Amino acid sequence: MEGFGNAYPSYVPSELVSCSSKGRNVTYHCYLMELEQHYEYQVSVNDIVLAIRSELDSEIVDTLSGTSFDVKRGKLLVNLRHLEPIQLSPEKVQSCRRFQTTLFRILLNRDVTKLTSVSDDFSLGDNPEIDFLLLPATVKHQRPSNSIIDWKPVLSVPFSSESTCDCKDHACNVRIRNDSVCSCKLENCVVYTPHNGSIYIIYTTDGTKKLNGNSTLNQGLKGITTYKEHFKKRHGIELGFEHQSLLHGRNLFKVENYLLKTRQKTEKGKNMSSVDLPPEVCSVIMSPISIGTIYSFSFIPSIMHWLEGLLVAFNLKRMLLDHFTPNDIPISKVLQAITAKGCEEAYDYDYLETLGDSYLKYIVSQQLFKTNQNDREGALSDKRKNIISNDVLFKYGCTRPLPGFIRKDKFDPKQWDVPGDKSNSILLLKQKLDSSRTRVYVRKTREIDLGIIADVVEALIGAFISTEDEKAALSFINWIGINVDTNIMPYENERHISIIAPEELVKAKLLKSRLNYSFKDPYLLVEALTHSSGKRPEIRTCYERLEFLGDAVLDYVITMHFYKEYSNDKFSAEFFTNMRSISVNNECYALSAIKAKLDEHILCDSVVKNNIAQTMEGVKNLSLESTFGWELETYFCQVSCLIFQCITSSNPNNVYSHYWHIH
């Protein structure tokens, strides 16, 4: 059984993991992340190159492409385009890892004490670790045909003022804190200001404003002063180069979880806050790097977390394919089935779990009904509970390595594993799954609630059913450990419930006409209409067994109907659940029985008949269309709904059209 006590593994897909190449050049498969913003903002996104050691399956690429993320101002669309592989030397790999580690430490931590230095080791170790590269792409309209990656910012980390500069039209002696640089290095950069401990993105010098230390600064209610006076009074800094042009920039972009179901929108057209800084109070951290590149990288943790989820789902699908052959179930469905509500994402397993729970109840009920023909309803219900209860499904799920695939927690970008950042390095353990060819790595162990594991088992069943692949659903149920007959055969009644011909007990022809349905075995019709008080020597059984099966059949067909109608972006999972609850209940079943006039055919004693008659008098005063049967008296409601369940259970394979005909 998978797990260590109450702790269960969290899998990392092998596609994101590798180890040292022993000094040899490394081949990376490259994909261009084309970012397209569907909102107005002063900063435009730039494309980013993903370099990964394993080639992604085309289904992964196709699924990620076209994914839309809800960001503050609107929608961000992501497309993934396969590029040619590249060969990188170990030294260049280190430069790439240093670049992305530095940038993400700035964005996620905003702490200069955690920035990288020349002495930091960014080489791949001998142990498996997360390994992929995220590199800025060249600007589309300036993109050379032979290189999509913008190597200049990548190879300039850590920043050095001594790096060569080929420009001719810039001032080469701009004073910054403890150094001097060419002004071209200050046009697109990231700086740190020790006086207030802040990090800023600089995207131009003074520009058209021509501001310097002697320019006026409007402090609102505090009046008007100069930048020089402000820094002296507020920070105790005496500007020595007040004639230098100020640097114009803004605060860092906030990295957020862009996978959340609901996000607070920012007002359209709202301008970003800006800041003007004297160069001499600034220390350069990164240069050159454009504000568009930094803005684009702020979305990367959410995009990569989504990609990792797709890869986890893909590996689960591949493991299942090694044991049975489902139809081509989309990995997006598998991902939905393993995503718990605690992730607070747009798509979780809520719909699928409800559908899978209903189908499992139906198929196990059918199996028990066929194989235990002498058991009454109570015994059948007990046996079903012992097969499909949460406790049992939890054990089945743990016996198969399902817990490691489950996504149960809300994504926190600050806890994202930055590839190459050894300050937060984790030990990855390789693991072979079951008897399949699938290999994954274990990142950590975590506690998972029993109910979540049981829900995921049901959600995976629901995922197969939602794609109309009942054969795969049955194969999965058997693979989990629940033995059901995968060959759905018509029910053959081996029990002789009556010694009298059915036509002498019930009006079979009238019911055939009224229900628009022909019963192949009229004895089942007799059984379905016989109340326990109606048993007599010539009728040896009542509807209890058929009620057991009919309850499961109705639950499934109604759930499937509402899943098809309401499991989309227009309706919430709560709406789906409420619609199902309104319909899957005794009152609605009783209403259907009354509409079909089944009450006239119930075989019961005089006491029950009198109760039915009294109830029907009350029914005459109700508007059945408006009340949905909720005001019906409890006793008749129970009797008639049981009859309705029994009628529908007579042939569960054709019940869907039959139910909607009389409902």
Side-chain angles (χ1 to χ4, degrees), residues 104 108 255 297-306 411 413 416:
F104 283 120
L108 297 172
V255 180
F297 268 79
S298 69
F299 300 116
I300 284 296
S302 292
I303 296 173
M304 290 306 300
H305 184 70
W306 180 250
F411 174 56
W416 181 56

Side-chain angles (χ1 to χ4, degrees), residues 34-39 45 47 75-79 140:
E34 298 176 313
L35 306 183
E36 182 180 324
Q37 60 194 84
H38 289 252
Y39 54 90
V45 291
D47 296 341
K75 298 282 187 182
L76 180 73
L77 193 67
V78 179
N79 285 303
K140 286 182 181 179

Side-chain angles (χ1 to χ4, degrees), residues 381-511:
S381 295
D382 289 341
K383 288 180 179 179
R384 182 174 65 191
K385 181 180 179 181
N386 292 334
I387 295 174
I388 65 173
S389 69
N390 270 8
D391 287 345
V392 176
L393 294 180
F394 159 74
K395 293 177 182 177
Y396 286 142
C398 291
T399 300
R400 300 301 187 184
L402 293 182
F405 293 101
I406 295 174
R407 304 167 72 243
K408 75 179 190 72
D409 297 317
K410 183 168 68 173
F411 174 56
D412 181 0
K414 291 188 176 180
Q415 300 300 317
W416 181 56
D417 296 320
V418 179
D421 190 348
K422 296 189 177 183
S423 64
N424 296 320
S425 60
I426 53 176
L427 181 62
L428 299 177
L429 302 175
K430 192 172 185 178
Q431 182 170 327
K432 179 182 178 182
L433 296 180
D434 202 41
S435 59
S436 74
R437 56 194 166 94
T438 305
R439 302 290 187 276
V440 294
Y441 290 83
V442 176
R443 172 189 276 120
K444 61 182 179 181
T445 58
R446 71 266 171 84
E447 293 186 357
I448 305 180
D449 183 72
L450 173 153
I452 291 178
I453 297 175
D455 286 347
V456 168
V457 172
E458 292 173 330
L460 286 167
I461 297 171
F464 291 118
I465 291 299
S466 70
T467 58
E468 300 183 354
D469 191 355
E470 185 176 4
K471 182 179 179 182
L474 290 170
S475 297
F476 175 78
I477 291 170
N478 279 277
W479 176 73
I480 279 290
I482 303 173
N483 295 320
V484 294
D485 188 358
T486 56
N487 296 313
I488 305 298
M489 300 295 291
Y491 173 65
E492 294 182 4
N493 186 20
E494 299 176 1
R495 302 163 68 246
H496 300 289
I497 66 169
S498 173
I499 59 176
I500 301 177
E503 291 76 7
E504 297 181 25
L505 298 170
V506 297
K507 298 177 181 178
K509 290 183 178 180
L510 176 61
L511 284 169

Side-chain angles (χ1 to χ4, degrees), residues 620-644:
K620 292 178 181 178
N621 300 320
L622 297 176
S623 171
L624 298 183
E625 287 75 12
S626 62
T627 63
F628 289 86
W630 288 343
E631 292 84 356
L632 296 178
E633 295 204 11
T634 304
Y635 181 78
F636 177 67
C637 174
Q638 292 174 340
V639 172
S640 57
C641 82
L642 293 178
I643 296 296
F644 178 64

